[in-house]
Amino acid sequence: MRRSRLKYAGVAALLLFGGLTAGGTGQAAADDSPTATDAPASAGLLQAMQRDLGLSKAQAETRLAAERTATDLAPKARKAAGSAYGGSWFDAKTERLTVAVTSDAPASTVREVRATGATVRTVTHSARQLDATKARIDRLSAPSGVSGWHVDPVANTIVVNVVDDERADNDVRRFVSRARATGPVTVETVAGAPQTFAAGTVGGDPYYTGNVRCSIGFSVHGGFITAGHCGQAGAGVRGWDGSYIGNFQGSSFPDNDYAWVNVGSGWWTVPVVLGWGTVSDQLVRGSAEAPVGSSICRSGSTTHWHCGAVLAKNETVNYSQGAVHQMTKTSVCAEPGDSGGSFISGDQAQGVTSGGWGNCSGGGETWFQPVNEILGRYGLTLHTA
């Protein structure tokens, strides 16, 4: 049963998601908090992974530990690969980081990558070549029947996603033809076109701007970050109880989908992702970027807490309002009102919900804007425990 709103009245300040706050966590940032490496996974997080990923408790614990190792290892392995780097991902079957290295790499480079503890796979194209191909596709004008495109390090190609019932559309076929001419491209179909997850004003536990309801992403010192499509710079923001929180200090959409809101008027920030009574509230201890293939969970004011996996990074998503770049795709579901909410892997902040297709009844996919990009853009500091 959800705790009384009265318990949230003080802390509601940004407990990330629709203004609700985790009762009893307002002072969570204690000086003697355990480190991210030592901190055990909450029972709620493990339960959510068991429910959404089909894992046992032991498997969930083992996977989280392996993902943390892979996350820490990824930058070292990339540095060791140098110009031969072709991308990396977490392999859920082997529970190890796999690093792609081009076939022309010296044997010494391959040995250095393996020495970091990563598994090595030989590929044709480097990450630099794939990124250059994607950049060329980014300059094309995409029709609505093309939902997006991204670098797929596992397949060593650019994947262009086409809405299934739009495959025969002349504009779609023309775009695909032009995309193929830019470099290595594979075309895959998806069930639906992407859309943002903002919603009209309804009852619940949101934050509001105008007649739009969205979800708080992560607390930063001085405010919180969220999705840019939820409000323009200068727009006022109200909490779940209707009281004034602050204003959008910066906002970008499309091209990007991020924003930040300052906090005042009796509201304050706490380093917590709300579990909504479904799982335990989760402390935020950093923002180390999880590799492709890692488990990830999302909290939002409509569908609350759901988990899945990271499917792709640096994807360009073609919304009806315009393309948004450098997004991360996941298998986690979401629905209107979840926009701006938190994506977290273990205790590491990953990004804020942008949009997707499908719902939490029949399934779907979602995209988020990476948190570190937002922090860097606005010069913000993540509030951590």
Side-chain angles (χ1 to χ4, degrees):
M1 180 179 296
R2 182 175 299 167
R3 289 160 287 185
S4 166
R5 288 177 181 273
L6 294 178
K7 290 187 179 181
Y8 295 119
V11 187
L14 290 0
L15 222 195
L16 304 130
F17 300 125
L20 272 188
T21 103
T25 57
Q27 304 300 323
D31 293 337
D32 60 350
S33 296
T35 64
T37 301
D38 296 334
S42 70
L45 176 59
L46 294 173
Q47 290 167 5
M49 291 179 67
Q50 292 174 69
R51 178 196 66 197
D52 294 338
L53 299 177
L55 304 174
S56 67
K57 180 181 178 182
Q59 288 172 328
E61 291 174 330
T62 300
R63 179 160 175 172
L64 284 173
E67 288 174 349
R68 173 54 59 82
T69 298
T71 297
D72 293 341
L73 183 64
K76 302 173 186 176
R78 178 167 189 160
K79 182 177 180 180
S83 61
Y85 180 73
S88 65
W89 59 93
F90 177 79
D91 188 326
K93 292 183 179 179
T94 64
E95 296 189 329
R96 295 182 64 186
L97 180 75
T98 298
V99 176
V101 176
T102 55
S103 55
D104 59 357
S108 59
T109 296
V110 175
R111 286 195 298 269
E112 289 179 18
V113 174
R114 285 188 173 132
T116 66
T119 298
V120 174
R121 178 184 293 182
T122 302
V123 295
T124 303
H125 309 288
S126 69
R128 182 176 298 178
Q129 291 171 324
L130 293 176
D131 288 342
T133 297
K134 180 181 176 295
R136 289 190 284 271
I137 298 176
D138 282 344
R139 291 192 285 270
L140 302 178
S141 178
S144 59
V146 176
S147 68
W149 50 95
H150 66 272
V151 173
D152 184 343
V154 181
N156 197 229
T157 186
I158 307 299
V159 173
V160 173
N161 291 122
V162 174
V163 179
D164 189 45
D165 58 7
E166 298 285 342
R167 288 178 298 171
D169 180 81
N170 287 334
D171 289 338
V172 170
R173 296 172 67 179
R174 188 177 300 111
F175 177 88
V176 168
S177 178
R178 295 179 66 190
R180 289 187 188 280
T182 65
V185 167
T186 299
V187 177
E188 296 181 359
T189 58
V190 293
Q195 61 181 350
T196 56
F197 284 129
T201 300
V202 296
D205 304 308
Y207 79 81
Y208 300 95
T209 178
N211 67 341
V212 172
R213 171 170 66 86
C214 282
S215 302
I216 294 171
F218 291 96
S219 289
V220 296
H221 290 286
F224 67 85
I225 57 175
T226 187
H229 70 263
C230 291
Q232 298 181 342
V237 172
R238 293 170 286 120
W240 62 268
D241 60 353
S243 67
Y244 173 75
I245 295 178
N247 294 78
F248 278 86
Q249 299 297 300
S251 179
S252 178
F253 180 79
D255 188 26
N256 305 293
D257 193 5
Y258 50 59
W260 84 280
V261 176
N262 69 320
V263 170
S265 302
W267 293 69
W268 64 87
T269 64
V270 288
V272 176
V273 172
L274 190 63
W276 294 94
T278 302
V279 301
S280 301
D281 300 327
Q282 185 69 37
L283 288 174
V284 178
R285 300 182 184 277
S287 58
E289 185 178 336
V292 168
S294 299
S295 63
I296 193 166
C297 297
R298 179 194 57 73
S299 181
S301 64
T302 299
T303 58
H304 300 174
W305 189 278
H306 288 274
C307 298
V310 178
L311 299 179
K313 295 185 180 183
N314 192 24
E315 176 152 3
T316 298
V317 180
N318 190 35
Y319 292 125
S320 61
Q321 300 93 329
V324 177
H325 303 91
Q326 297 179 310
M327 302 275 269
T328 298
K329 177 160 65 175
T330 82
S331 61
V332 187
C333 68
E335 295 180 11
D338 287 327
S339 277
S342 315
F343 268 92
I344 188 167
S345 183
D347 56 13
Q348 300 295 301
Q350 298 299 308
V352 299
T353 305
S354 173
W357 61 269
N359 54 52
C360 289
S361 297
E365 295 176 336
T366 50
W367 290 270
F368 66 79
Q369 191 89 65
V371 65
N372 290 327
E373 179 185 358
I374 308 171
L375 299 176
R377 169 63 179 83
Y378 294 119
L380 301 169
T381 301
L382 187 68
H383 191 167
T384 57

